[in-house]
């Protein structure tokens, strides 16, 4: 495919790069070392409209193409992957409303989300139901007051900081995945408890939580139609996997750029490190993986704007880009030697941040299942 970016896409990428270089870059190390939530960086993005880059202009979104959005997400991740994680988690919640919500729900929430006023969280995963959401145990039972939700969600990005949660629960336990519905639950609802944020390997400024529910919400909290939750979630994850691929690109590109610059400056045995064949080969492999990851990611982004399902394209992009990021960040540590293992440089942070991209929004193994079933059907 010919990926010639439009003027609007390039301008949007440049805007994302500017705010990320000026604000996010300076905060990234602080968030990693202190485990403070990335509020300031998210706020900076929200003030410039980046919280709405997945939304159409009808709801005050940026109305940029998926290619333009991918380029912007890549820039955010290049400077701070933790902020990128919280941002893309917000997109999962607003995509849920955009895809599955009623007209009133869209009008009530999406413009405020696009304006950076409301932060969302996507509550699908459970302690015993990660790769297979159909095994979830969270239930919603209709009552005179509306719906009674009980259960526990786990690894929910933005959790306690979110102004609203999109919670997936079984409204008909006997109907399998067709008995799953989604609910739009606002912050402050009585009967919701948040555990302390998990202490994670990477993305330390993007907090994840276990959330327990024993609450009653009004009938209006049902997102769209009863029983449509699983279908909504799968469409949302198709979109989200393109964003994780873009996030992987950003982390990988940062590691590659730093490694290339280091290899030119670092002198070993009387010549720059990059003049040693072993290092040249590592850099060549990193460059090739990065370029290939860009192609599958941009292809998936292009497919996202089509009128057809793009599950395979998004799975391919997420699988390849995340695995490429793992290889590139690992080689970056090796090229930097002991300096790469030290927290004085961001290399080891890239390595840690990249690890989760092979897990969330569906593990690499799940992506292989999606691809394998599609090509053999």
């Amino acid at each position: 495919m010919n990926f010639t970016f439009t003027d609007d896409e390039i301008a949007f990428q440049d805007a994302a790069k500017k705010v990320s270089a000026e604000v996010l870059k300076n905060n990234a190390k602080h968030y990693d070392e202190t485990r403070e939530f990335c509020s300031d960086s998210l706020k900076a993005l929200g003030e410039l409209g980046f919280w709405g880059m997945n939304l159409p202009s009808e709801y005050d979104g940026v109305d940029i193409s998926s290619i333009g959005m991918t380029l912007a997400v890549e820039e955010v991740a290049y400077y701070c992957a933790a902020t990128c994680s919280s941002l893309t988690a917000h997109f999962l919640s607003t995509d849920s409303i955009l895809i599955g919500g009623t007209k009133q729900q869209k009008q009530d929430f999406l413009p405020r989300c696009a304006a950076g006023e409301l932060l969302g969280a996507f509550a699908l995963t459970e302690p015993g139901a990660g790769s297979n959401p159909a095994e979830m145990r969270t239930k919603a039972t209709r009552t005179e007051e509306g719906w009674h939700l009980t259960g526990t969600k786990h690894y929910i990005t933005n959790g306690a900081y979110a102004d609203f949660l999109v919670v997936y629960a079984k409204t008909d336990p006997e109907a399998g995945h067709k008995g799953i519905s989604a609910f739009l639950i606002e912050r402050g609802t009585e009967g919701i408890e948040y555990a302390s944020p998990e202490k994670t390997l990477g993305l330390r400024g993007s907090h994840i939580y276990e959330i327990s529910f024993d609450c009653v919400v009004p009938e209006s909290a049902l997102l769209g139609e009863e029983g449509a939750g699983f279908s909504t979630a799968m469409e949302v994850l198709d979109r989200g996997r393109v964003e994780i691929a873009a996030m992987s690109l950003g982390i990988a590109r940062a590691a590659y750029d730093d490694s290339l610059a280091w290899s030119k400056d670092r002198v070993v045995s009387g010549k720059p490190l990059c003049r040693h064949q072993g290092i040249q080969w590592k850099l060549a492999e990193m460059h090739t993986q990065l370029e290939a990851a860009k192609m599958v990611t941009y292809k998936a982004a292009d497919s996202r704007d089509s009128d057809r399902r793009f599950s395979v394209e998004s799975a391919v992009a997420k699988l390849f880009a995340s695995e490429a990021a793992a290889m590139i960040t690992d080689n970056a540590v090796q090229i930097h030697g002991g300096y790469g293992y030290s927290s004085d440089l961001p290399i080891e942070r890239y390595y840690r941040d990249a690890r989760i991209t092979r897990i969330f929004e569906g593990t690499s193994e799940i992506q292989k299942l999606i691809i394998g079933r599609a090509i053999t059907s």
Side-chain angles (χ1 to χ4, degrees):
M1 300 183 68
N2 179 23
F3 294 114
T4 302
F5 306 131
T6 67
D7 291 343
D8 285 345
E9 290 165 347
I10 294 171
F12 194 64
Q13 179 188 29
D14 289 343
K17 181 176 182 178
K18 186 175 188 294
V19 66
S20 298
E22 292 177 354
V23 180
L24 274 60
K25 180 180 179 179
N26 295 329
N27 292 338
K29 182 178 176 65
H30 172 75
Y31 294 146
D32 186 65
E33 292 179 343
T34 65
R35 296 184 183 270
E36 178 185 323
F37 185 66
C38 56
S39 299
D40 289 344
S41 290
L42 278 177
K43 181 181 178 181
L45 293 172
E47 289 174 348
L48 295 175
F50 286 99
W51 286 21
M53 63 173 131
N54 63 319
L55 299 175
S57 57
E58 178 183 0
Y59 302 108
D60 298 339
V62 176
D63 210 15
I64 193 71
S65 69
S66 289
I67 288 284
M69 179 180 177
T70 296
L71 295 173
V73 169
E74 181 182 338
E75 293 297 338
V76 173
Y78 184 93
Y79 292 98
C80 184
T83 303
C84 186
S85 180
S86 281
L87 179 66
T88 55
H90 172 72
F91 294 155
L92 295 178
S93 69
T94 54
D95 275 344
S96 295
I97 301 171
L98 182 66
I99 292 169
T102 64
K103 183 177 181 179
Q104 189 64 51
Q105 288 168 335
K106 294 174 186 178
Q107 290 175 343
D108 288 346
F109 281 85
L110 295 184
R112 296 176 67 193
C113 291
E117 297 175 6
L118 296 179
L119 181 68
F122 177 80
L124 178 67
T125 300
E126 297 186 1
S131 295
N132 185 5
E135 295 179 349
M136 71 174 59
R137 295 184 179 181
T138 298
K139 294 188 297 184
T141 306
R142 189 177 256 117
T143 68
E144 292 183 359
E145 294 81 14
W147 293 89
H148 181 202
L149 268 73
T150 57
T152 302
K153 296 296 181 179
H154 204 186
Y155 300 138
I156 308 305
T157 303
N158 295 341
Y161 284 90
D163 297 294
F164 67 91
L165 307 170
V166 176
V167 182
Y168 291 82
K170 284 191 173 179
T171 47
D172 185 352
E174 305 301 320
H177 69 271
K178 293 183 179 179
I180 295 174
S181 303
F183 294 85
L184 190 52
I185 304 179
E186 296 186 61
R187 184 186 184 91
T189 298
E190 186 176 351
I192 301 178
E193 295 185 0
Y194 302 88
S196 298
E198 300 284 348
K199 292 183 178 180
T200 56
L201 175 70
L203 303 183
R204 293 174 176 173
S206 177
H207 293 182
I208 60 175
Y209 296 84
E210 181 172 279
I211 308 175
S212 298
F213 298 89
D214 187 359
C215 61
V216 175
V217 296
E219 179 67 32
S220 60
L222 178 67
L223 187 67
E225 298 180 4
E226 182 179 348
F230 186 83
S231 174
T232 296
M234 293 305 101
E235 287 191 50
V236 169
L237 288 174
D238 279 347
R239 293 163 68 92
R241 285 167 183 149
V242 181
E243 293 154 18
I244 299 306
M247 177 178 168
S248 301
L249 282 182
I251 299 170
R253 184 162 60 86
Y256 170 75
D257 286 352
D258 284 8
S259 297
L260 184 60
W262 174 268
S263 73
K264 292 178 179 179
D265 291 339
R266 178 75 168 161
V267 176
V268 176
S269 299
K271 59 182 177 181
L273 196 59
C274 66
R275 298 303 178 194
H276 294 266
Q277 186 182 66
I279 300 301
Q280 288 181 343
W281 284 13
K282 281 189 180 298
L283 290 168
E285 291 170 353
M286 294 162 73
H287 177 81
T288 300
Q289 289 287 309
L290 185 57
E291 289 301 301
K294 287 179 182 179
M295 291 301 100
V296 293
T297 300
Y298 297 161
K299 178 183 178 182
D302 187 64
S303 298
R304 176 172 157 161
D305 281 338
S306 68
D307 293 328
R308 60 179 180 80
R309 288 297 294 272
F310 54 99
S311 300
V312 172
E313 289 90 342
S314 64
V316 168
K318 201 268 187 184
L319 173 64
F320 192 88
S322 64
E323 294 289 343
M327 185 277 277
I328 290 168
T329 55
D330 183 68
N331 275 350
V333 173
Q334 196 72 13
I335 288 171
H336 283 76
Y339 293 97
Y341 196 68
S342 167
S343 60
D344 289 339
L345 296 179
I347 305 302
E348 56 86 30
R349 187 180 80 235
Y350 301 151
Y351 178 82
R352 289 185 287 105
D353 286 348
R355 187 60 185 86
I356 190 62
T357 63
R358 295 154 66 193
I359 298 175
F360 59 8
E361 258 87 307
T363 63
S364 290
E365 291 73 22
I366 291 298
Q367 307 315 309
K368 291 175 183 178
L369 280 176
I370 294 170
I371 299 163
R373 287 171 180 169
I375 63 178
T376 57
S377 63

